[in-house]
């Protein structure tokens, strides 16, 4: 092992990747954005963003593109007025596209489908807006939405936007405690929910959690006025006549006429809670004009959206991806999309591929965690379906390991489709770093460079830009339209969390620190290496967990891997890996652990060779699919496993602990 000293706040650059995929010629020729956009945006950033804002309908144009006089509090399109719901719905109908399908809704029960045109969506949103107003919701009041992935969830969001009532969507998998604390934090007046939704083949209740959350919120001192309930599954619900209102009573009887009011560009659109490493969840505030501009522009540019595309983003609307890339971006662009209620493997493992085949999906956007689970199952399942309609694939949420990228492109995309690895965050509101599919070649594992209009860098502890070939901290060096405006009710926390690491100096303004580590490869392309909290310091080198995980996933027997740096009294921190094998690899064979340790050594070098590798059936993940390395670290360091409340499936940790106990000798 190397004995070199720590390398001054940068991350070691370990993996090398030589595979390249050129943009398809046809796509490149007709691409929405071409090379010149980078230069145009850089030469006059504000003019570029003003041009992007023009794709929306404004009731009143702005006087000033950006007000950055009081950083880090930005105002975009100052003085402009618009209605987000009008932009997502009415204007398409007015332009004669009312018959275009907005949603091919696919419920989890097979055959439970429903197409909704833009004209129908306009009626539904108008009715819901009238119903919310009748329930006492006024402009500025907050509305919580706790729903399955059904059209009414989108309708509720747009109805809130239509009347200027900021929504906060809470993922339907969250507990009543999580819901209660969010209701209290944003003082939600109304909750929109459903009796339940379909997941993994059965009806899964939602309303009981809302009932509990309303009581808990009251204990915290906040009273919810009304609960609006969609009947989805028909399961029994406890009913409180003073509080509960059926959607089919309140909404379906309401008028389909509703005149949208124009709001200030900076009017709050929604609050999305995201958990930090410490403390209570942060309510990320997004406002109207800049956010909608950023979501619509990126959806059009990064997916190279064309009028006939059929788009499908598999995220849940309880996450920011669902907000920006199911609701606001795609609908502002008038797209036809698939909305799917359930899980990828219900009733059987090929469900997603069936949906793609049936609806002729052309643009598909999902997360690396899903891709790796399909890799584990093997290619026979997608191979049985006709996926030839696909022309572009997207990835979001985590670093995509090069091997998963290549599998995605090859098996799902038939080697025709570019893969866009899109880096962004709840806080950024929109895609920030990504290839442009008609311009940038694909490089497996790299999100490449900031899209036109965005400025980012990788810097060391002192804020010095690192040279190509080195790693450091990812920062955003210029404000952008969809940026968060603050943390709901806590401006100080907003400043501290995002802007205190690299404050303004004499030479430059303040930088936004994203919390991620990244490297620039020798071409200057960016590789996001995950949260800096996950970085390990091994023998004086800062190693990113992502690179070692990618090396493991490049072994043909491995589907998924998680790496942590565990303290070791004898040697200092050591690399520990948890590995899921592909189904076809069986138990991997007697020498699997040694084989994998040597594979990492060969791929990266001796420094990264794991001290210990544990073969496990599952990995602990948050409900949005991110690996919780903190818990694995507890296991690796033989501690009692910490707080598991945000795990999607808390039994996973028992499985891992058992596996670790029984496999002690192996490691
Ligand atoms: O660490 C990065 C990772 O996900 C974080 C943001 O998570 P969240 O706010 O939940 O938003 C998820 C949807 C945008 C980032 O700080 N991340 C997201 N996309 C990528 C990624 N890491 C690497 N590559 C990506 N494409």
């Amino acid at each position: 092992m190397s004995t070199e000293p720590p390398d001054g706040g940068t991350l070691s650059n370990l993996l090398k990747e030589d595979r390249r995929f050129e943009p398809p010629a046809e796509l490149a020729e007709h691409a929405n954005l071409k090379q010149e956009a980078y230069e145009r945006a850089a030469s006059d950033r504000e003019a570029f963003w003003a041009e992007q804002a023009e794709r929306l309908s404004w009731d009143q144009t702005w006087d000033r593109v950006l007000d950055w006089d009081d950083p880090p509090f930005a105002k975009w399109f100052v003085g402009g007025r618009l209605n987000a719901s009008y932009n997502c719905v009415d204007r398409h109908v007015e332009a004669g596209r009312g018959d275009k399908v907005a949603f091919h809704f696919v419920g989890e029960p097979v055959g439970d489908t429903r197409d909704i045109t833009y004209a129908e969506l306009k009626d539904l949103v108008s009715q819901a807006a009238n119903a919310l107003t009748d329930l006492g919701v006024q402009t500025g009041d907050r509305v919580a939405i706790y729903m399955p992935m059904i059209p009414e969830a989108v309708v509720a969001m747009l109805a809130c936007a239509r009347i200027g009532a900021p929504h906060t969507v809470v993922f339907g998998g969250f507990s009543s405690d999580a819901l209660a604390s969010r209701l209290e934090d944003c003082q939600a007046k109304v909750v929109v929910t459903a009796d339940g939704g379909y997941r993994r083949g059965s009806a899964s209740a939602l309303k009981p959690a809302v009932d509990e959350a309303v009581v808990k919120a009251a204990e915290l001192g906040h009273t919810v006025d009304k609960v609006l309930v969609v009947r989805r599954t028909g399961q029994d619900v406890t009913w409180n006549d003073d509080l509960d209102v059926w959607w089919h009573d309140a909404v379906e009887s309401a008028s389909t006429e509703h005149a949208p009011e124009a709001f200030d560009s900076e009017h709050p659109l929604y609050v999305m809670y995201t958990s930090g490493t410490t403390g209570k969840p942060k309510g990320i505030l997004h406002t109207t004009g800049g956010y909608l501009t950023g979501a619509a522009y990126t959806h059009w540019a990064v997916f190279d959206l064309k009028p006939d595309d059929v788009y499908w983003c598999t995220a849940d609307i309880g996450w920011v991806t669902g907000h920006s890339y199911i609701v606001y971006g795609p609908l502002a662009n008038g797209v036809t999309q698939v909305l799917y209620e359930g899980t990828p493997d219900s009733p059987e493992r090929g469900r997603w591929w069936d949906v793609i085949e049936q609806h002729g999906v052309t643009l598909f956007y999902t997360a690396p965690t899903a891709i790796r689970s399909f890799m584990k199952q093997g290619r026979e399942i997608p191979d049985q379906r006709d996926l030839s309609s696909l022309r572009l694939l997207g990835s979001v949420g985590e670093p995509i390991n090069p091997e998963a990228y290549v599998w995605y492109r090859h098996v799902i995309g038939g080697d025709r489709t570019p893969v866009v690895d899109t880096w962004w965050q709840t806080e950024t509101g929109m895609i920030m770093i990504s290839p442009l599919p008609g311009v940038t070649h694909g490089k497996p594992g790299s999100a490449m460079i900031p899209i036109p209009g965005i400025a980012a860098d990788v810097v060391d502890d002192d804020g010095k830009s690192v040279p190509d070939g080195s790693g450091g901290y990812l920062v955003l060096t210029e404000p952008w339209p969809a940026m968060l405006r603050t943390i709901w009710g806590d401006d100080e926390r907003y400043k501290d969390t995002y802007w205190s690491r690299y404050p303004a100096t004499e030479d430059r303004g303040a930088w936004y620190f994203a919390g991620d580590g990244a490297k620039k490869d020798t071409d200057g392309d960016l590789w996001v290496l995950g949260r800096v909290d996950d970085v390990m310091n091994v023998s004086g080198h800062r190693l990113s967990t992502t690179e070692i995980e990618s090396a493991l996933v490049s072994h043909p027997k491995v589907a998924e891997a998680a790496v942590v740096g565990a303290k070791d009294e004898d040697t200092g921190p050591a690399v520990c890996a948890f590995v899921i094998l592909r189904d076809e690899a069986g138990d991997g064979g007697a020498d699997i652990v040694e084989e994998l340790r040597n594979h990492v050594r060969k791929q990266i070098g001796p420094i990264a060779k794991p001290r210990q590798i544990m073969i496990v059936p599952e990995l602990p993940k948050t409900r949005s699919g991110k690996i919780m390395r903190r818990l694995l670290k507890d296991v690796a360091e033989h501690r009692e496993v910490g707080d598991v409340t945000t795990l999607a499936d808390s039994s996973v940790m028992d499985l891992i602990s058992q596996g670790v106990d029984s496999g002690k000798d192996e490691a």
Side-chain angles (χ1 to χ4, degrees), residues 274 320-321 395-400 421-427 433 447 514-516 528-531 624 626:
T274 177
V320 73
T321 308
S395 170
V396 60
E398 279 178 291
I400 178 164
D421 175 11
T422 62
W423 177 87
W424 60 294
Q425 305 177 299
T426 305
E427 291 86 344
I433 302 175
D516 283 339
V528 179
L529 298 172
R531 312 297 300 171
S624 65
K626 291 193 192 350

PDB file of all heavy atoms in Angstrom, residues 274 320-321 395-400 421-427 433 447 514-516 528-531 624 626, ligand 1:
ATOM      1  N   THR A 274     -36.376  17.006   1.997  1.00  0.00           N
ATOM      2  CA  THR A 274     -35.278  16.084   1.718  1.00  0.00           C
ATOM      3  C   THR A 274     -34.481  15.923   2.992  1.00  0.00           C
ATOM      4  O   THR A 274     -34.275  16.888   3.725  1.00  0.00           O
ATOM      5  CB  THR A 274     -34.396  16.582   0.562  1.00  0.00           C
ATOM      6  OG1 THR A 274     -33.317  15.678   0.382  1.00  0.00           O
ATOM      7  CG2 THR A 274     -33.827  17.950   0.803  1.00  0.00           C
ATOM      8  N   VAL A 320     -38.309  14.604  -6.110  1.00  0.00           N
ATOM      9  CA  VAL A 320     -38.166  15.765  -6.992  1.00  0.00           C
ATOM     10  C   VAL A 320     -38.165  15.337  -8.466  1.00  0.00           C
ATOM     11  O   VAL A 320     -38.636  16.072  -9.337  1.00  0.00           O
ATOM     12  CB  VAL A 320     -36.898  16.575  -6.641  1.00  0.00           C
ATOM     13  CG1 VAL A 320     -35.639  15.859  -7.089  1.00  0.00           C
ATOM     14  CG2 VAL A 320     -36.976  17.981  -7.210  1.00  0.00           C
ATOM     15  N   THR A 321     -37.662  14.136  -8.748  1.00  0.00           N
ATOM     16  CA  THR A 321     -37.643  13.690 -10.146  1.00  0.00           C
ATOM     17  C   THR A 321     -39.075  13.635 -10.696  1.00  0.00           C
ATOM     18  O   THR A 321     -39.325  14.003 -11.841  1.00  0.00           O
ATOM     19  CB  THR A 321     -36.950  12.316 -10.275  1.00  0.00           C
ATOM     20  OG1 THR A 321     -35.686  12.404  -9.625  1.00  0.00           O
ATOM     21  CG2 THR A 321     -36.739  11.935 -11.720  1.00  0.00           C
ATOM     22  N   SER A 395     -30.593   8.278 -16.933  1.00  0.00           N
ATOM     23  CA  SER A 395     -30.291   7.730 -15.615  1.00  0.00           C
ATOM     24  C   SER A 395     -30.187   8.876 -14.620  1.00  0.00           C
ATOM     25  O   SER A 395     -29.660   9.931 -14.943  1.00  0.00           O
ATOM     26  CB  SER A 395     -28.961   6.976 -15.694  1.00  0.00           C
ATOM     27  OG  SER A 395     -28.511   6.615 -14.406  1.00  0.00           O
ATOM     28  N   VAL A 396     -30.683   8.659 -13.415  1.00  0.00           N
ATOM     29  CA  VAL A 396     -30.647   9.708 -12.396  1.00  0.00           C
ATOM     30  C   VAL A 396     -30.672   9.114 -10.992  1.00  0.00           C
ATOM     31  O   VAL A 396     -31.248   8.058 -10.779  1.00  0.00           O
ATOM     32  CB  VAL A 396     -31.846  10.673 -12.523  1.00  0.00           C
ATOM     33  CG1 VAL A 396     -33.175   9.958 -12.379  1.00  0.00           C
ATOM     34  CG2 VAL A 396     -31.757  11.806 -11.502  1.00  0.00           C
ATOM     35  N   GLY A 397     -30.069   9.816 -10.058  1.00  0.00           N
ATOM     36  CA  GLY A 397     -30.253   9.485  -8.649  1.00  0.00           C
ATOM     37  C   GLY A 397     -28.991   9.063  -7.938  1.00  0.00           C
ATOM     38  O   GLY A 397     -28.854   9.254  -6.740  1.00  0.00           O
ATOM     39  N   GLU A 398     -28.090   8.467  -8.688  1.00  0.00           N
ATOM     40  CA  GLU A 398     -26.842   7.961  -8.117  1.00  0.00           C
ATOM     41  C   GLU A 398     -25.839   7.912  -9.252  1.00  0.00           C
ATOM     42  O   GLU A 398     -26.228   7.908 -10.421  1.00  0.00           O
ATOM     43  CB  GLU A 398     -27.016   6.509  -7.692  1.00  0.00           C
ATOM     44  CG  GLU A 398     -27.662   6.246  -6.397  1.00  0.00           C
ATOM     45  CD  GLU A 398     -27.732   4.743  -6.268  1.00  0.00           C
ATOM     46  OE1 GLU A 398     -28.500   4.109  -7.011  1.00  0.00           O
ATOM     47  OE2 GLU A 398     -26.971   4.213  -5.471  1.00  0.00           O
ATOM     48  N   PRO A 399     -24.559   7.761  -8.911  1.00  0.00           N
ATOM     49  CA  PRO A 399     -23.608   7.499  -9.985  1.00  0.00           C
ATOM     50  C   PRO A 399     -24.002   6.193 -10.681  1.00  0.00           C
ATOM     51  O   PRO A 399     -24.388   5.239 -10.003  1.00  0.00           O
ATOM     52  CB  PRO A 399     -22.283   7.318  -9.251  1.00  0.00           C
ATOM     53  CG  PRO A 399     -22.464   7.971  -7.919  1.00  0.00           C
ATOM     54  CD  PRO A 399     -23.915   7.818  -7.589  1.00  0.00           C
ATOM     55  N   ILE A 400     -23.938   6.162 -11.989  1.00  0.00           N
ATOM     56  CA  ILE A 400     -24.210   4.903 -12.678  1.00  0.00           C
ATOM     57  C   ILE A 400     -22.862   4.238 -12.955  1.00  0.00           C
ATOM     58  O   ILE A 400     -21.985   4.834 -13.571  1.00  0.00           O
ATOM     59  CB  ILE A 400     -25.071   5.078 -13.948  1.00  0.00           C
ATOM     60  CG1 ILE A 400     -25.281   3.729 -14.655  1.00  0.00           C
ATOM     61  CG2 ILE A 400     -24.532   6.127 -14.905  1.00  0.00           C
ATOM     62  CD1 ILE A 400     -26.405   3.734 -15.676  1.00  0.00           C
ATOM     63  N   ASP A 421     -26.601  10.390 -18.551  1.00  0.00           N
ATOM     64  CA  ASP A 421     -26.437  10.278 -17.099  1.00  0.00           C
ATOM     65  C   ASP A 421     -26.600  11.688 -16.556  1.00  0.00           C
ATOM     66  O   ASP A 421     -25.759  12.553 -16.778  1.00  0.00           O
ATOM     67  CB  ASP A 421     -25.044   9.718 -16.798  1.00  0.00           C
ATOM     68  CG  ASP A 421     -24.737   9.688 -15.313  1.00  0.00           C
ATOM     69  OD1 ASP A 421     -25.654   9.892 -14.499  1.00  0.00           O
ATOM     70  OD2 ASP A 421     -23.560   9.456 -14.967  1.00  0.00           O
ATOM     71  N   THR A 422     -27.707  11.923 -15.856  1.00  0.00           N
ATOM     72  CA  THR A 422     -28.071  13.293 -15.480  1.00  0.00           C
ATOM     73  C   THR A 422     -27.810  13.524 -14.005  1.00  0.00           C
ATOM     74  O   THR A 422     -28.415  12.875 -13.158  1.00  0.00           O
ATOM     75  CB  THR A 422     -29.565  13.539 -15.763  1.00  0.00           C
ATOM     76  OG1 THR A 422     -30.346  12.648 -14.957  1.00  0.00           O
ATOM     77  CG2 THR A 422     -29.892  13.285 -17.236  1.00  0.00           C
ATOM     78  N   TRP A 423     -26.936  14.443 -13.700  1.00  0.00           N
ATOM     79  CA  TRP A 423     -26.677  14.782 -12.295  1.00  0.00           C
ATOM     80  C   TRP A 423     -27.468  16.018 -11.897  1.00  0.00           C
ATOM     81  O   TRP A 423     -27.418  17.041 -12.587  1.00  0.00           O
ATOM     82  CB  TRP A 423     -25.183  15.051 -12.043  1.00  0.00           C
ATOM     83  CG  TRP A 423     -24.971  15.460 -10.611  1.00  0.00           C
ATOM     84  CD1 TRP A 423     -24.773  14.627  -9.549  1.00  0.00           C
ATOM     85  CD2 TRP A 423     -24.995  16.795 -10.079  1.00  0.00           C
ATOM     86  NE1 TRP A 423     -24.682  15.360  -8.389  1.00  0.00           N
ATOM     87  CE2 TRP A 423     -24.809  16.684  -8.678  1.00  0.00           C
ATOM     88  CE3 TRP A 423     -25.166  18.069 -10.640  1.00  0.00           C
ATOM     89  CZ2 TRP A 423     -24.777  17.801  -7.834  1.00  0.00           C
ATOM     90  CZ3 TRP A 423     -25.138  19.178  -9.802  1.00  0.00           C
ATOM     91  CH2 TRP A 423     -24.933  19.038  -8.403  1.00  0.00           C
ATOM     92  N   TRP A 424     -28.165  15.921 -10.814  1.00  0.00           N
ATOM     93  CA  TRP A 424     -28.853  17.066 -10.211  1.00  0.00           C
ATOM     94  C   TRP A 424     -29.328  16.675  -8.835  1.00  0.00           C
ATOM     95  O   TRP A 424     -29.004  15.592  -8.366  1.00  0.00           O
ATOM     96  CB  TRP A 424     -29.977  17.574 -11.117  1.00  0.00           C
ATOM     97  CG  TRP A 424     -31.082  16.593 -11.442  1.00  0.00           C
ATOM     98  CD1 TRP A 424     -30.973  15.448 -12.184  1.00  0.00           C
ATOM     99  CD2 TRP A 424     -32.450  16.678 -11.053  1.00  0.00           C
ATOM    100  NE1 TRP A 424     -32.200  14.832 -12.269  1.00  0.00           N
ATOM    101  CE2 TRP A 424     -33.127  15.565 -11.588  1.00  0.00           C
ATOM    102  CE3 TRP A 424     -33.189  17.614 -10.311  1.00  0.00           C
ATOM    103  CZ2 TRP A 424     -34.495  15.344 -11.390  1.00  0.00           C
ATOM    104  CZ3 TRP A 424     -34.546  17.399 -10.124  1.00  0.00           C
ATOM    105  CH2 TRP A 424     -35.186  16.276 -10.664  1.00  0.00           C
ATOM    106  N   GLN A 425     -30.079  17.540  -8.177  1.00  0.00           N
ATOM    107  CA  GLN A 425     -30.503  17.310  -6.797  1.00  0.00           C
ATOM    108  C   GLN A 425     -31.882  17.924  -6.561  1.00  0.00           C
ATOM    109  O   GLN A 425     -32.312  18.786  -7.327  1.00  0.00           O
ATOM    110  CB  GLN A 425     -29.555  18.024  -5.821  1.00  0.00           C
ATOM    111  CG  GLN A 425     -28.105  17.697  -5.966  1.00  0.00           C
ATOM    112  CD  GLN A 425     -27.272  18.511  -4.993  1.00  0.00           C
ATOM    113  OE1 GLN A 425     -27.270  19.740  -5.049  1.00  0.00           O
ATOM    114  NE2 GLN A 425     -26.566  17.844  -4.106  1.00  0.00           N
ATOM    115  N   THR A 426     -32.503  17.532  -5.457  1.00  0.00           N
ATOM    116  CA  THR A 426     -33.753  18.188  -5.044  1.00  0.00           C
ATOM    117  C   THR A 426     -33.546  19.707  -5.048  1.00  0.00           C
ATOM    118  O   THR A 426     -34.401  20.472  -5.501  1.00  0.00           O
ATOM    119  CB  THR A 426     -34.142  17.729  -3.621  1.00  0.00           C
ATOM    120  OG1 THR A 426     -34.216  16.307  -3.613  1.00  0.00           O
ATOM    121  CG2 THR A 426     -35.471  18.319  -3.193  1.00  0.00           C
ATOM    122  N   GLU A 427     -32.389  20.111  -4.559  1.00  0.00           N
ATOM    123  CA  GLU A 427     -32.103  21.537  -4.418  1.00  0.00           C
ATOM    124  C   GLU A 427     -31.925  22.240  -5.759  1.00  0.00           C
ATOM    125  O   GLU A 427     -32.266  23.416  -5.896  1.00  0.00           O
ATOM    126  CB  GLU A 427     -30.816  21.722  -3.603  1.00  0.00           C
ATOM    127  CG  GLU A 427     -30.924  21.334  -2.125  1.00  0.00           C
ATOM    128  CD  GLU A 427     -30.670  19.851  -1.862  1.00  0.00           C
ATOM    129  OE1 GLU A 427     -30.704  19.045  -2.822  1.00  0.00           O
ATOM    130  OE2 GLU A 427     -30.428  19.510  -0.695  1.00  0.00           O
ATOM    131  N   ILE A 433     -25.820  18.648 -14.831  1.00  0.00           N
ATOM    132  CA  ILE A 433     -24.675  18.085 -15.543  1.00  0.00           C
ATOM    133  C   ILE A 433     -25.168  16.847 -16.285  1.00  0.00           C
ATOM    134  O   ILE A 433     -25.761  15.956 -15.670  1.00  0.00           O
ATOM    135  CB  ILE A 433     -23.549  17.711 -14.565  1.00  0.00           C
ATOM    136  CG1 ILE A 433     -23.114  18.946 -13.776  1.00  0.00           C
ATOM    137  CG2 ILE A 433     -22.372  17.086 -15.300  1.00  0.00           C
ATOM    138  CD1 ILE A 433     -22.083  18.670 -12.699  1.00  0.00           C
ATOM    139  N   ALA A 447     -21.030  11.880 -16.080  1.00  0.00           N
ATOM    140  CA  ALA A 447     -22.151  12.775 -16.417  1.00  0.00           C
ATOM    141  C   ALA A 447     -21.670  13.862 -17.378  1.00  0.00           C
ATOM    142  O   ALA A 447     -22.454  14.722 -17.780  1.00  0.00           O
ATOM    143  CB  ALA A 447     -22.750  13.370 -15.156  1.00  0.00           C
ATOM    144  N   ALA A 514     -22.523  21.391  -3.380  1.00  0.00           N
ATOM    145  CA  ALA A 514     -23.579  20.398  -3.566  1.00  0.00           C
ATOM    146  C   ALA A 514     -23.495  19.235  -2.588  1.00  0.00           C
ATOM    147  O   ALA A 514     -24.424  18.441  -2.499  1.00  0.00           O
ATOM    148  CB  ALA A 514     -23.521  19.875  -5.005  1.00  0.00           C
ATOM    149  N   GLY A 515     -22.375  19.088  -1.875  1.00  0.00           N
ATOM    150  CA  GLY A 515     -22.242  17.952  -0.959  1.00  0.00           C
ATOM    151  C   GLY A 515     -21.672  16.716  -1.619  1.00  0.00           C
ATOM    152  O   GLY A 515     -21.474  15.695  -0.977  1.00  0.00           O
ATOM    153  N   ASP A 516     -21.401  16.798  -2.928  1.00  0.00           N
ATOM    154  CA  ASP A 516     -20.887  15.645  -3.667  1.00  0.00           C
ATOM    155  C   ASP A 516     -19.406  15.797  -3.965  1.00  0.00           C
ATOM    156  O   ASP A 516     -18.926  16.900  -4.200  1.00  0.00           O
ATOM    157  CB  ASP A 516     -21.610  15.494  -5.013  1.00  0.00           C
ATOM    158  CG  ASP A 516     -22.995  14.892  -4.856  1.00  0.00           C
ATOM    159  OD1 ASP A 516     -23.250  14.244  -3.832  1.00  0.00           O
ATOM    160  OD2 ASP A 516     -23.821  15.073  -5.766  1.00  0.00           O
ATOM    161  N   VAL A 528     -19.253  12.173 -11.110  1.00  0.00           N
ATOM    162  CA  VAL A 528     -19.755  12.443  -9.764  1.00  0.00           C
ATOM    163  C   VAL A 528     -19.519  11.195  -8.933  1.00  0.00           C
ATOM    164  O   VAL A 528     -19.857  10.089  -9.349  1.00  0.00           O
ATOM    165  CB  VAL A 528     -21.247  12.816  -9.796  1.00  0.00           C
ATOM    166  CG1 VAL A 528     -21.752  13.064  -8.383  1.00  0.00           C
ATOM    167  CG2 VAL A 528     -21.460  14.052 -10.667  1.00  0.00           C
ATOM    168  N   LEU A 529     -18.900  11.367  -7.778  1.00  0.00           N
ATOM    169  CA  LEU A 529     -18.463  10.216  -6.994  1.00  0.00           C
ATOM    170  C   LEU A 529     -19.294  10.006  -5.741  1.00  0.00           C
ATOM    171  O   LEU A 529     -18.900   9.263  -4.848  1.00  0.00           O
ATOM    172  CB  LEU A 529     -16.988  10.393  -6.624  1.00  0.00           C
ATOM    173  CG  LEU A 529     -16.040  10.469  -7.828  1.00  0.00           C
ATOM    174  CD1 LEU A 529     -14.639  10.830  -7.385  1.00  0.00           C
ATOM    175  CD2 LEU A 529     -16.019   9.153  -8.592  1.00  0.00           C
ATOM    176  N   GLY A 530     -20.434  10.666  -5.653  1.00  0.00           N
ATOM    177  CA  GLY A 530     -21.300  10.448  -4.498  1.00  0.00           C
ATOM    178  C   GLY A 530     -21.043  11.463  -3.398  1.00  0.00           C
ATOM    179  O   GLY A 530     -20.204  12.352  -3.519  1.00  0.00           O
ATOM    180  N   ARG A 531     -21.784  11.308  -2.318  1.00  0.00           N
ATOM    181  CA  ARG A 531     -21.717  12.256  -1.202  1.00  0.00           C
ATOM    182  C   ARG A 531     -20.316  12.255  -0.583  1.00  0.00           C
ATOM    183  O   ARG A 531     -19.720  11.188  -0.409  1.00  0.00           O
ATOM    184  CB  ARG A 531     -22.729  11.880  -0.115  1.00  0.00           C
ATOM    185  CG  ARG A 531     -24.115  11.584  -0.620  1.00  0.00           C
ATOM    186  CD  ARG A 531     -24.771  12.761  -1.270  1.00  0.00           C
ATOM    187  NE  ARG A 531     -24.906  13.889  -0.363  1.00  0.00           N
ATOM    188  CZ  ARG A 531     -25.300  15.111  -0.771  1.00  0.00           C
ATOM    189  NH1 ARG A 531     -25.532  15.346  -2.057  1.00  0.00           N
ATOM    190  NH2 ARG A 531     -25.444  16.079   0.090  1.00  0.00           N
ATOM    191  N   SER A 624     -35.937   5.987  -1.968  1.00  0.00           N
ATOM    192  CA  SER A 624     -35.692   6.443  -3.336  1.00  0.00           C
ATOM    193  C   SER A 624     -34.550   5.658  -3.974  1.00  0.00           C
ATOM    194  O   SER A 624     -34.080   6.010  -5.046  1.00  0.00           O
ATOM    195  CB  SER A 624     -35.404   7.946  -3.379  1.00  0.00           C
ATOM    196  OG  SER A 624     -34.212   8.253  -2.710  1.00  0.00           O
ATOM    197  N   LYS A 626     -31.388   4.892  -2.803  1.00  0.00           N
ATOM    198  CA  LYS A 626     -29.976   5.167  -2.528  1.00  0.00           C
ATOM    199  C   LYS A 626     -29.474   4.220  -1.421  1.00  0.00           C
ATOM    200  O   LYS A 626     -30.153   4.014  -0.426  1.00  0.00           O
ATOM    201  CB  LYS A 626     -29.807   6.608  -2.070  1.00  0.00           C
ATOM    202  CG  LYS A 626     -30.062   7.628  -3.161  1.00  0.00           C
ATOM    203  CD  LYS A 626     -29.562   8.974  -2.677  1.00  0.00           C
ATOM    204  CE  LYS A 626     -29.960  10.181  -3.470  1.00  0.00           C
ATOM    205  NZ  LYS A 626     -30.578  10.167  -4.703  1.00  0.00           N
TER     206      LYS A 626
HETATM  207  O1  LIG B   1     -25.224  12.483  -4.664  1.00  0.00           O
HETATM  208  C1  LIG B   1     -25.911  12.922  -5.810  1.00  0.00           C
HETATM  209  C2  LIG B   1     -26.877  11.855  -6.259  1.00  0.00           C
HETATM  210  O2  LIG B   1     -28.112  12.155  -5.648  1.00  0.00           O
HETATM  211  C3  LIG B   1     -28.008  13.364  -4.894  1.00  0.00           C
HETATM  212  C4  LIG B   1     -29.301  14.145  -4.986  1.00  0.00           C
HETATM  213  O3  LIG B   1     -30.325  13.375  -4.473  1.00  0.00           O
HETATM  214  P1  LIG B   1     -31.820  13.905  -4.476  1.00  0.00           P
HETATM  215  O4  LIG B   1     -31.860  15.284  -3.933  1.00  0.00           O
HETATM  216  O5  LIG B   1     -32.625  12.854  -3.810  1.00  0.00           O
HETATM  217  O6  LIG B   1     -32.215  13.992  -5.978  1.00  0.00           O
HETATM  218  C5  LIG B   1     -32.315  12.839  -6.724  1.00  0.00           C
HETATM  219  C6  LIG B   1     -32.826  13.187  -8.100  1.00  0.00           C
HETATM  220  C7  LIG B   1     -32.073  14.235  -8.793  1.00  0.00           C
HETATM  221  C8  LIG B   1     -26.832  14.076  -5.496  1.00  0.00           C
HETATM  222  O7  LIG B   1     -26.276  15.018  -4.609  1.00  0.00           O
HETATM  223  N1  LIG B   1     -27.061  11.867  -7.714  1.00  0.00           N
HETATM  224  C9  LIG B   1     -28.176  12.215  -8.400  1.00  0.00           C
HETATM  225  N2  LIG B   1     -27.983  12.025  -9.722  1.00  0.00           N
HETATM  226  C10 LIG B   1     -26.723  11.563  -9.885  1.00  0.00           C
HETATM  227  C11 LIG B   1     -26.141  11.467  -8.605  1.00  0.00           C
HETATM  228  N3  LIG B   1     -24.874  11.050  -8.447  1.00  0.00           N
HETATM  229  C12 LIG B   1     -24.174  10.728  -9.539  1.00  0.00           C
HETATM  230  N4  LIG B   1     -24.664  10.789 -10.790  1.00  0.00           N
HETATM  231  C13 LIG B   1     -25.935  11.192 -11.017  1.00  0.00           C
HETATM  232  N5  LIG B   1     -26.419  11.226 -12.242  1.00  0.00           N
END
